[in-house]
Amino acid sequence: MINTVEKIYNWENNFTNYKVTYDDGKISSVPLDEANTDYQAIQTWIADGGTVIDNPPE
Amino acid sequence: MAIDKITTASITDANITTAKLAYDAIPFRNIIINGDMSIAQRATSVSGITNASGDVFVNDRFCWAESGSMTSTFTMSQVTDVPTGQGFAKSLKLDCTATDTPATTERIRIETRFEGQNLQYLKKGTANAESWTISFWVKSVKTGTYIVNFLDEDNARMVSKAYTINSANTWEKKTMTIAPDTTGTFDNDNAHSLTVAWILSAGSSLQSGSLADVWQAYANANYAAGQVNFADSTSNEFYLTGVQLEAGTTASEFEFLPVDVNLDRCLRYYQKSYSYATAPGTNTTVGIVTTDGSAGGLTTGYLAGNIKFEKIMRAAPTLTFYEKGGDSGVCSRLQAGVARTDNQPIATESISDNNASIYSSGTANANSIDVQFEAKAEL
């Protein structure tokens, strides 16, 4: 189960993937690929009211 | 045989059948990947599986799945209990470790899922649609009626077939044929088009109608009529192997593949850096990816590198990184021959279906990244 979702930016300030922390403590990098089922799960989690942590580089 | 006995009539298409040939005339006729349960890359057993576990894999390509909030728990394992004399070496075992009764639409099942592009030759949704035949070996402590459901994910259509466990704790082979479906074509892409599910528990709302034993629009009531509740006793154990799904109205002999071919097919959906028998998160350097040394020599700043996957994956995979000690979401920074510092940050510059560009912005003085990983592109 998803616990937190954070947007990850590269050093050129491009949003490249999500960092997801699950309830069991496992941390994964999820690509921005609509065919990826974890990406799909994040979109469902957001639609259900989940808030994505977004701290873009300044 | 005299040459004059071989007539044109005796070699017509209708007289030459797969059963009469001494070899597998149709390679890869089994649509199921890892149907002999021989591959288990992640682990050989997972305990404490609950409704919060999400999809759980032990044997590759077969997952435990639950809908609802049942409180039953399970242990799933790859085991050597197999039907005698059939050539199988491994099976999937599901052991109920805490009980519950499914409410309304709650359900538990073992699933395997398919890309639409691998199903096009079945011609579903056309006037030339094929029949399908599924065959498998099953053993269960709990006798009675069980359901296998086929769900067309692209068109919300389904068909469910019932089979009976006649004798407790005894291997039985089951074969079922599904009539063609001339409605609803599978998308020709890498997305999830078909699920085959061995139902183990199904709530009352999933059993209130008549079993959908021919293709029809999805309806909860017709999903699993008659299904026993496998989650009603901690004595219950369910075993499955020799799963084959093929076009046509008869079940052919199980198509055994060499282990390297079987594993290669599984790598499209899951890969890891660890050696085959090592579970992700294990404290080890065996298999660890060491990036090329920093061009700038030792640094306390950015280090970058690349991971090339063993095989092109179904889609850009979800990556879970592990430092040498086994913690996830971090890497180790390596000063070759001098020191390895664990628990260092790692991130991805990009992830594609065959490659990941990684970097570490940690502070430990190092010239390369040491990291283990697992890559998941399941359906």
Side-chain angles (χ1 to χ4, degrees):
Chain A
M1 302 285 278
I2 293 173
N3 188 309
T4 64
V5 177
E6 179 180 0
K7 286 186 174 180
I8 299 299
Y9 295 82
N10 66 8
W11 53 54
E12 295 172 319
N13 297 348
N14 296 315
F15 169 41
T16 59
N17 63 92
Y18 289 108
K19 176 182 177 182
V20 181
T21 302
Y22 295 94
D23 285 345
D24 63 2
K26 189 174 182 178
I27 299 169
S28 297
S29 299
V30 177
L32 308 181
D33 182 345
E34 292 181 0
N36 180 292
T37 54
D38 293 309
Y39 176 86
Q40 296 166 8
I42 290 170
Q43 305 314 307
T44 301
W45 182 80
I46 293 170
D48 290 344
T51 301
V52 176
I53 301 166
D54 188 6
N55 295 311
E58 297 181 1
Chain B
M1 176 183 288
I3 192 68
D4 62 347
K5 299 297 184 188
I6 303 173
T7 64
T8 300
S10 68
I11 56 173
T12 56
D13 288 349
N15 289 331
I16 300 172
T17 63
T18 301
K20 293 176 183 172
L21 298 174
Y23 62 93
D24 290 339
I26 310 170
F28 295 103
R29 65 185 179 278
N30 189 0
I31 298 166
I32 307 271
I33 297 173
N34 198 30
D36 64 358
M37 306 294 175
S38 60
I39 305 299
Q41 294 189 77
R42 297 163 175 86
T44 53
S45 187
V46 175
S47 61
I49 299 171
T50 71
N51 68 68
S53 298
D55 294 343
V56 178
F57 289 83
V58 173
N59 305 75
D60 279 48
R61 308 296 301 125
F62 286 79
C63 72
W64 179 94
E66 194 265 356
S67 301
S69 53
M70 291 180 67
T71 56
S72 47
T73 63
F74 299 89
T75 297
M76 187 161 65
S77 309
Q78 182 197 45
V79 296
T80 57
D81 187 335
V82 293
T84 302
Q86 301 300 320
F88 301 107
K90 301 286 175 59
S91 68
L92 179 157
K93 175 186 178 184
L94 192 69
D95 182 8
C96 180
T97 52
T99 66
D100 195 11
T101 300
T104 59
T105 59
E106 290 181 330
R107 70 197 83 174
I108 294 170
R109 66 270 184 201
I110 301 292
E111 290 188 352
T112 189
R113 301 164 181 166
F114 305 87
E115 298 173 53
Q117 61 191 354
N118 283 340
L119 305 171
Q120 296 302 305
Y121 72 97
L122 297 172
K123 303 182 284 291
K124 185 177 177 299
T126 76
N128 297 320
E130 301 276 359
S131 296
W132 307 354
T133 296
I134 190 168
S135 54
F136 55 90
W137 286 87
V138 63
K139 183 171 92 167
S140 180
V141 167
K142 186 174 182 66
T143 59
T145 300
Y146 290 71
I147 307 299
V148 180
N149 175 266
F150 301 77
L151 181 59
D152 170 353
E153 305 277 353
D154 293 327
N155 303 287
R157 292 175 61 77
M158 69 170 180
V159 58
S160 292
K161 290 292 182 181
Y163 64 96
T164 303
I165 298 292
N166 299 298
S167 303
N169 214 25
T170 304
W171 281 105
E172 301 175 17
K173 185 176 184 181
K174 306 299 177 185
T175 301
M176 288 160 274
T177 295
I178 299 158
D181 186 17
T182 57
T183 301
T185 57
F186 288 131
D187 296 341
N188 186 17
D189 58 22
N190 64 344
H192 183 185
S193 285
L194 176 69
T195 300
V196 178
W198 285 259
I199 313 300
L200 296 164
S201 293
S204 56
S205 298
L206 301 171
Q207 303 201 42
S208 57
S210 301
L211 189 67
D213 63 355
V214 293
W215 282 103
Q216 58 186 249
Y218 181 86
N220 274 340
N222 302 336
Y223 178 80
Q227 172 69 46
V228 299
N229 178 21
F230 173 77
D232 68 354
S233 170
T234 56
S235 297
N236 287 344
E237 296 174 351
F238 180 89
Y239 297 79
L240 182 67
T241 195
V243 183
Q244 181 151 296
L245 177 64
E246 57 199 304
T249 56
T250 58
S252 63
E253 289 294 307
F254 184 83
E255 181 184 29
F256 287 100
L257 297 176
V259 67
D260 57 320
V261 176
N262 212 3
L263 175 59
D264 205 44
R265 299 196 76 192
C266 294
L267 293 177
R268 179 169 171 79
Y269 304 92
Y270 179 86
Q271 302 180 18
K272 63 180 180 179
S273 57
Y274 299 90
S275 56
Y276 176 80
T278 303
T282 300
N283 181 354
T284 181
T285 58
V286 176
I288 205 163
V289 174
T290 301
T291 61
D292 290 341
S294 162
L298 289 171
T299 179
T300 56
Y302 277 99
L303 290 168
N306 184 64
I307 294 173
K308 180 76 172 172
F309 302 136
E310 291 180 54
K311 186 180 181 68
I312 292 177
M313 303 193 75
R314 180 191 65 83
T318 296
L319 284 168
T320 304
F321 297 108
Y322 300 90
E323 42 95 88
K324 178 259 180 187
D327 288 340
S328 73
V330 287
C331 69
S332 303
R333 287 169 68 96
L334 179 70
Q335 186 178 352
V338 178
R340 176 188 295 107
T341 307
D342 290 342
N343 280 306
Q344 297 293 298
I346 188 169
T348 53
E349 168 74 17
S350 66
I351 307 172
S352 74
D353 58 7
N354 70 346
N355 178 286
S357 177
I358 61 175
Y359 63 93
S360 169
S361 58
T363 56
N365 202 25
N367 56 10
S368 60
I369 299 169
D370 253 10
V371 69
Q372 301 272 22
F373 72 91
E374 57 181 332
K376 179 171 73 77
E378 295 286 356
L379 290 161

